[in-house]
Amino acid sequence: MGRIPASYLMNRVITLVLTIVIAATLIWLIPRLSPVDPAEIMLGRMTAGAGTVEGSEQILATLQERFGLNDPLLVQYAKYMRNILFLDFGLSTASFPTPVSTLIANALPWTIGLMLISIVITFVIGNLLGALMVWEHTPRLWKVAIPAAMVFTSIPPILSGLLLMWIFSAQLQWFPLTGAYGLTVEPGWTWDFVGSVLHHGFLPALSIVVVTFGFWALGMRGLMITVQGEDYTTLAKAKGLRPRYILYRYMIRNAILPQITAFALKIGLLIAGQVLVERIFAYNGMGKLLYDAILDQDFPVIQGVSFVIILMTALAVFIVDLVYPLIDPRIRHEAA
């Protein structure tokens, strides 16, 4: 691969930083276009819980001061940009005075685990099935069964989750209905806890896999059709190389590059797609946290979760851009 030119790396870093800054600015700006006051929402919750609150006007003024809502917009923006450098998103209005960073830190490992399992399985299975749809040595039964299985891609993840819950939890009772791990299991790096996490996470991951693998299969199918007619594929067949070797070495390897880019871009969309899945399974991830924050109009949490999702997606694209030459030696980092 060789050394990455400094100018190329600098250009990619600048692009990464600009993407994050623009996204962070939009995340800060959009909630402020809403007439809703977070301090009034908190006071409303206090009033609903206690019936009446003495000194409500003073409490409202204190909350507005605590959240910096009385500062000029430029001052609020400057403080916001300074704080996100340290991943400080303020305090949650729904879980006051819990910091938003604490809520995200508790939810992020569950989302990353569920996301990595589901997207890796979907990526591998989808691309493999897409390649087999085009490969001339694929049995005819497989070529009929694979497109038929892709009918599940038209089902929203929440409906697939409900269907899987009804079949495997309510009827067969093979998997638990909700939760990220058993209530009687002590969290820790033990086999009982890991087994419980995998057992509880199987259905949420499966509900995502069955509705998204068709995206990769269709994309890979189109790319494989193009690669199948290339001269190097024809030459490999003329050499008498084994069909499976040609499939992997000459066809899949050359067709997979656009899919890897889509893999990085899909991270943000997948987390957004997990929102309802995590909610119906009561899975303690970022999706459930974002869903609850939207219901509670908890703007600091919405901002924090949205920023983390964008940050993860931008970093994934940045890393993929740098490691492309490892995947395909024909690609070189240009200095310009």
Side-chain angles (χ1 to χ4, degrees):
M1 178 180 70
R3 186 176 62 87
I4 300 176
S7 58
Y8 178 90
L9 181 60
M10 183 61 64
N11 288 337
R12 292 301 176 267
V13 171
I14 292 175
T15 302
L16 173 66
V17 172
L18 286 177
T19 301
I20 295 174
V21 169
I22 294 173
T25 301
L26 291 176
I27 292 172
W28 173 84
L29 179 62
I30 291 174
R32 280 159 179 77
L33 299 177
S34 171
V36 177
D37 188 340
E40 293 181 355
I41 295 176
M42 290 187 61
L43 184 61
R45 290 197 187 96
M46 297 169 61
T47 304
T52 181
V53 177
E54 297 183 0
S56 58
E57 293 183 359
Q58 182 178 358
I59 294 175
L60 179 61
T62 302
L63 291 174
Q64 290 175 334
E65 182 69 25
R66 178 65 182 83
F67 287 101
L69 300 177
N70 296 328
D71 297 331
L73 287 178
L74 288 179
V75 175
Q76 293 184 39
Y77 177 73
K79 290 182 178 179
Y80 168 77
M81 295 301 293
R82 180 196 63 194
N83 290 337
I84 65 172
L85 290 175
F86 305 97
L87 298 181
D88 180 6
F89 305 105
L91 303 177
S92 168
T93 58
S95 304
F96 187 82
T98 305
V100 175
S101 57
T102 300
L103 297 175
I104 293 177
N106 293 334
L108 188 58
W110 298 103
T111 290
I112 291 178
L114 179 61
M115 178 186 66
L116 288 179
I117 292 174
S118 57
I119 196 172
V120 169
I121 293 176
T122 305
F123 182 81
V124 173
I125 293 177
N127 283 290
L128 179 59
L129 294 180
L132 292 177
M133 289 170 64
V134 178
W135 192 39
E136 57 188 8
H137 297 280
T138 302
R140 185 177 298 274
L141 179 61
W142 279 77
K143 290 190 175 183
V144 174
I146 294 174
M150 291 172 59
V151 68
F152 292 104
T153 59
S154 61
I155 302 176
I158 185 173
L159 294 183
S160 68
L162 292 173
L163 178 62
L164 293 174
M165 288 176 68
W166 180 78
I167 295 174
F168 294 103
S169 296
Q171 300 299 317
L172 300 177
Q173 299 184 355
W174 288 357
F175 298 96
L177 277 170
T178 58
Y181 58 91
L183 298 177
T184 60
V185 179
E186 185 70 22
W189 292 106
T190 62
W191 287 114
D192 290 341
F193 178 71
V194 172
S196 180
V197 169
L198 293 176
H199 190 217
H200 282 73
F202 181 83
L203 285 186
L206 184 61
S207 65
I208 297 173
V209 169
V210 296
V211 300
T212 55
F213 81 93
F215 168 84
W216 303 108
L218 288 176
M220 191 63 173
R221 177 182 178 274
L223 294 168
M224 287 286 291
I225 291 175
T226 303
V227 171
Q228 193 176 34
E230 293 291 342
D231 293 339
Y232 53 79
T233 304
T234 304
L235 179 60
K237 295 177 181 178
K239 287 182 177 180
L241 298 179
R242 291 178 300 172
R244 291 184 181 180
Y245 184 82
I246 297 175
L247 174 66
Y248 161 72
R249 190 72 176 181
Y250 288 83
M251 299 177 68
I252 293 180
R253 187 174 181 181
N254 287 283
I256 201 70
L257 287 176
Q259 296 289 81
I260 294 176
T261 302
F263 178 87
L265 296 173
K266 193 73 172 176
I267 290 178
L269 295 176
L270 185 60
I271 296 178
Q274 288 181 190
V275 171
L276 295 179
V277 172
E278 291 184 1
R279 185 67 183 88
I280 64 173
F281 283 101
Y283 198 83
N284 300 323
M286 296 271 285
K288 182 176 180 296
L289 179 63
L290 179 60
Y291 181 90
D292 293 339
I294 293 173
L295 290 181
D296 296 332
Q297 294 183 312
D298 193 343
F299 292 113
V301 173
I302 296 174
Q303 289 178 333
V305 172
S306 300
F307 178 80
V308 171
I309 292 174
I310 293 173
L311 179 62
M312 292 173 60
T313 305
L315 287 175
V317 174
F318 175 75
I319 293 172
V320 167
D321 198 17
L322 294 182
V323 302
Y324 251 143
L326 292 176
I327 304 168
D328 191 342
R330 298 172 303 176
I331 298 176
R332 293 292 182 267
H333 293 301
E334 296 294 338

